[in-house]
Amino acid sequence: MTSGTVRPAATGRRTGRSEGQWARGQLAPLNPNEEFKQEEDPLRVRERIEQVYARGGFASIDPTDLRGRFRWWGLYTQRRPGIDGGRTATLEPEELDDEFFMLRVRVDGGQLDLAQLRTIAGISTRFARGTADITDRQNIQLHWVRIEDMPEIWRRLEAVGLATTEACGDCPRVIVGSPVAGVSADEIIDATPAIREIAARFVGDPSLSNLPRKFKTAVAWLPDVPYEANDVAFMGAVHPEHGPGFDLWVGGGLSTSPMLAQRVGAWVPAAEVPDVWVATTRLFRDYGYRRLRSRARLKFLVADWGVERFRAVLEEEYLYRPLIDGPALELPAAPIDHIGVHRQKDGRHYVGAAPVVGRLSGSRLAALADIAEAHGSGRIRLTPYQKLLVLDVADPEPLVRDLQKIDLAANPSPWRRNTMACTGIEYCKLAIVETKERAAALVAELEWRLGDEAAGLSINVNGCPNACARTQVADIGLKGLIVTDSNGRGVEGFQVHLGGGLALADDETGTFGRKLRGLKITADELPGYVERLTRRYRAGREGENESFARWVLRADEEELR
């Protein structure tokens, strides 16, 4: 099957109801999103943005472009201020829309040089009211962006090799990679060439710009990325006969129907990663379900087919050759987060530092670039845990002190180190509760109450059920909702998930957090609840090596409330 051709296939049982699977000849669009994608390639909206909307302003924007095609260029309207979370699901889209945008800058592999960092800093300061957040997919998000400024923003970004192309939308999203690719002493193969080839060949390819839903990718030698939460992942593995390569995983994704990626059982040579990636993407394009948005991710197809059938179709209809059977990736003794000072394979050092829940600013990004340059570094890396690294440093301790001056902690408290938060109600139209400021206040309160007694607990704060900050795979996952307080009022609060996690170490198994019936807390109760839970865990665990997840499984329900 060629990149732009879809042919009907006989694989699988036909059902009476169309699921919108192109490979089965089901080409009629079955919902409004499929209709606008079929009417016009969403990538073509950029011309209208530059030639029409940037000149005519927000009022000139066609609604289908505004709430549909703009996403393919990293643009979402942000939430109109003053709308409380209890009204999120009751208002029409135009009632939630502000006349400003969130803009997502795509940073494949999380790799930035100083010119790129300074460009983002300048755009933040000039066009985004100083906003800048590191996401948990290694992007940078800006807010308060005007449509009138987008031509100049794109000009500046593209001049230094950055883009917003397909940073959102039903298309290949940013490729997550190890933040220490190319410098780690523990790495056998640097996955950067594969990431760059995929991005260069296929990001913005019209034949892949109409997928059934978003498509998330991870390519890394080290298991320092959340590979089980991606649609497709290539993770480092050594074949006993063929040597180093990559273990193929498919079908991961969280949101309201969480599923972990599954091993295909295939070993892929580094040089073949881009070709296997595009074959997997085309399979998803052609066989993915397009009837219901809620069932359109690749994970649903993999769950229905199973990995054996998925592999067979991939080999027979897209690769035209068998894949090589191979071993699973080897996991380290403990999860890797790269915070602190670490030696590179060339004898220099990298320093990992933690902003609070990924929140930065244009001025701090500019200061970071100056500090890195003053210490001999020309490279910054972003992590998929809302943290950052400065590479190639000869003498790290002076750098650590200078980073602290701009509140980037290389020796953070366990609470700052292990807490993430999504965008939340401040800007997101889907959110129900505040997240960033709430999480920052929680970190500060727990530092005061518990100091370093966190015992490595991760806290992921989410503003709605969509799990952008990976609710279900944290020690303490918090899903925002409106709850009833002791006075009978509806207030911001959270449903609690306990003991979730991904398989990032050799004694861990990917699992979703335990939900207790009726365990919902108000936002005001959150610090006290986390303190109480932490103290109970520390007192009740069977030795210091018992993980929080294992303790949660055997703990009495009352201990968890």
Side-chain angles (χ1 to χ4, degrees):
M1 185 176 292
T2 64
S3 63
T5 304
V6 177
R7 61 176 172 79
T11 304
R13 178 177 60 85
R14 293 182 179 272
T15 61
R17 182 175 65 180
S18 172
E19 291 290 348
Q21 293 174 285
W22 288 1
R24 294 180 174 178
Q26 300 168 350
L27 303 180
L30 299 176
N31 61 55
N33 282 274
E34 291 302 311
E35 289 173 0
F36 80 67
K37 290 189 293 180
Q38 189 177 93
E39 288 170 2
E40 180 188 43
D41 181 354
L43 289 170
R44 295 180 61 185
V45 77
R46 175 159 171 175
E47 182 179 354
R48 286 194 293 280
I49 293 173
E50 293 182 313
Q51 300 300 322
V52 180
Y53 303 144
R55 298 174 181 178
F58 188 86
S60 69
I61 303 172
D62 176 86
T64 302
D65 285 346
L66 179 68
R67 301 182 191 97
R69 300 183 184 98
F70 272 30
R71 289 176 287 156
W72 273 250
W73 289 98
L75 286 161
Y76 287 98
T77 50
Q78 65 187 43
R79 187 188 190 94
R80 183 177 297 172
I83 300 174
D84 67 71
R87 301 174 64 199
T88 295
T90 66
L91 298 178
E92 294 298 321
E94 61 270 17
E95 296 178 282
L96 286 165
D97 287 334
D98 199 0
E99 295 189 1
F100 298 93
F101 292 87
M102 180 208 82
L103 178 66
R104 185 175 294 156
V105 180
R106 184 180 183 122
V107 187
D108 290 288
Q111 301 187 12
L112 292 169
D113 62 34
L114 296 191
Q116 292 171 329
L117 185 64
R118 287 186 169 117
T119 296
I120 296 172
I123 291 170
S124 167
T125 302
R126 173 66 180 82
F127 301 110
R129 300 189 187 181
T131 58
D133 292 335
I134 304 174
T135 76
D136 62 7
R137 289 194 62 78
Q138 298 174 294
N139 296 300
I140 296 283
Q141 286 186 177
L142 309 175
H143 301 282
W144 298 108
V145 172
R146 302 186 317 143
I147 198 65
E148 292 90 339
D149 296 324
M150 281 309 305
E152 177 61 14
I153 290 172
W154 278 325
R155 187 194 68 78
R156 294 188 186 195
L157 289 172
E158 291 165 2
V160 293
L162 291 172
T164 69
T165 315
E166 296 184 327
C168 313
D170 298 347
C171 50
R173 301 287 188 91
V174 70
I175 304 164
V176 170
S178 170
V180 294
V183 303
S184 172
D186 297 320
E187 180 184 70
I188 297 178
I189 295 178
D190 178 1
T192 301
I195 292 174
R196 289 179 176 170
E197 183 176 344
I198 292 169
R201 288 174 58 187
F202 303 118
V203 173
D205 179 350
S207 76
L208 300 178
S209 64
N210 182 359
L211 302 180
R213 203 69 164 79
K214 68 182 74 172
F215 189 71
K216 296 182 177 182
T217 301
V219 186
W221 180 266
L222 295 177
D224 55 358
V225 298
Y227 63 95
E228 290 174 294
N230 283 264
D231 295 277
V232 63
F234 297 83
M235 301 304 300
V238 178
H239 194 284
E241 297 177 15
H242 302 288
F246 292 87
D247 186 27
L248 177 61
W249 296 65
V250 295
L254 300 178
S255 192
T256 54
S257 299
M259 301 181 197
L260 296 178
Q262 301 179 55
R263 285 194 67 234
V264 175
W267 176 88
V268 181
E272 296 179 12
V273 167
D275 290 337
V276 176
W277 179 90
V278 74
T280 304
T281 310
R282 289 169 181 161
L283 187 160
F284 175 48
R285 176 195 63 191
D286 300 342
Y287 280 102
Y289 305 140
R290 295 174 181 262
R291 185 173 68 87
L292 297 175
R293 298 281 292 171
S294 59
R295 276 184 50 82
R297 290 287 297 275
L298 179 62
K299 61 187 178 183
F300 294 101
L301 183 68
V302 173
D304 287 350
W305 279 11
V307 289
E308 290 185 3
R309 180 179 170 191
F310 184 93
R311 177 173 173 173
V313 173
L314 181 66
E315 293 173 334
E316 294 166 12
E317 299 186 27
Y318 293 87
L319 290 171
Y320 304 114
R321 61 176 175 81
L323 291 163
I324 300 171
D325 292 340
L329 76 165
E330 292 187 11
L331 295 171
I336 308 166
D337 74 354
H338 302 300
I339 297 300
V341 176
H342 303 268
R343 185 175 293 275
Q344 298 177 180
K345 63 183 179 183
D346 64 2
R348 293 181 292 178
H349 299 81
Y350 69 85
V351 177
V356 179
V357 295
R359 176 135 290 180
L360 290 165
S361 66
S363 60
R364 289 171 72 199
L365 289 177
L368 172 63
D370 291 344
I371 290 170
E373 186 173 44
H375 290 274
S377 173
R379 297 192 290 174
I380 303 295
R381 299 284 174 88
L382 310 178
T383 86
Y385 299 94
Q386 301 180 338
K387 310 299 188 291
L388 61 86
L389 279 59
V390 180
L391 305 187
D392 307 328
V393 180
D395 185 4
E397 292 309 320
L399 172 62
V400 169
R401 292 193 292 271
D402 284 348
L403 290 175
Q404 187 63 55
K405 294 175 183 176
I406 58 170
D407 198 25
L408 292 175
N411 298 295
S413 73
W415 302 107
R416 179 191 280 218
R417 185 171 188 156
N418 295 304
T419 299
M420 297 197 307
C422 72
T423 298
I425 202 170
E426 182 180 12
Y427 300 116
C428 179
K429 294 183 298 182
L430 300 177
I432 301 169
V433 303
E434 212 314 295
T435 55
K436 288 288 190 185
E437 290 186 6
R438 184 87 61 196
L442 176 64
V443 167
E445 183 70 15
L446 292 173
E447 287 173 342
W448 180 75
R449 293 186 185 204
L450 291 168
D452 290 341
E453 294 184 41
L457 300 187
S458 59
I459 302 175
N460 292 1
V461 185
N462 294 262
C464 77
N466 288 312
C468 292
R470 303 197 285 269
T471 313
Q472 302 96 333
V473 291
D475 288 314
I476 303 173
L478 301 169
K479 181 179 79 174
L481 73 173
I482 302 300
V483 302
T484 303
D485 69 7
S486 58
N487 296 316
R489 300 174 302 171
V491 298
E492 290 191 4
F494 298 93
Q495 181 185 60
V496 181
H497 300 239
L498 296 174
L502 299 173
L504 300 173
D506 59 13
D507 63 344
E508 295 179 342
T509 301
T511 187
F512 299 127
R514 178 181 176 184
K515 291 188 290 185
L516 275 64
R517 184 180 299 275
L519 181 52
K520 299 174 183 179
I521 57 174
T522 70
D524 289 343
E525 294 169 336
L526 183 56
Y529 173 74
V530 176
E531 178 188 11
R532 182 168 67 249
L533 189 67
T534 302
R535 293 191 186 281
R536 287 175 177 173
Y537 162 55
R538 289 175 62 84
R541 61 186 175 179
E542 294 179 345
E544 292 189 1
N545 292 327
E546 183 177 32
S547 69
F548 183 78
R550 291 194 178 95
W551 176 75
V552 165
L553 286 176
R554 66 176 182 80
D556 183 90
E557 281 200 11
E558 290 307 309
E559 291 183 278
L560 304 178
R561 294 185 181 274

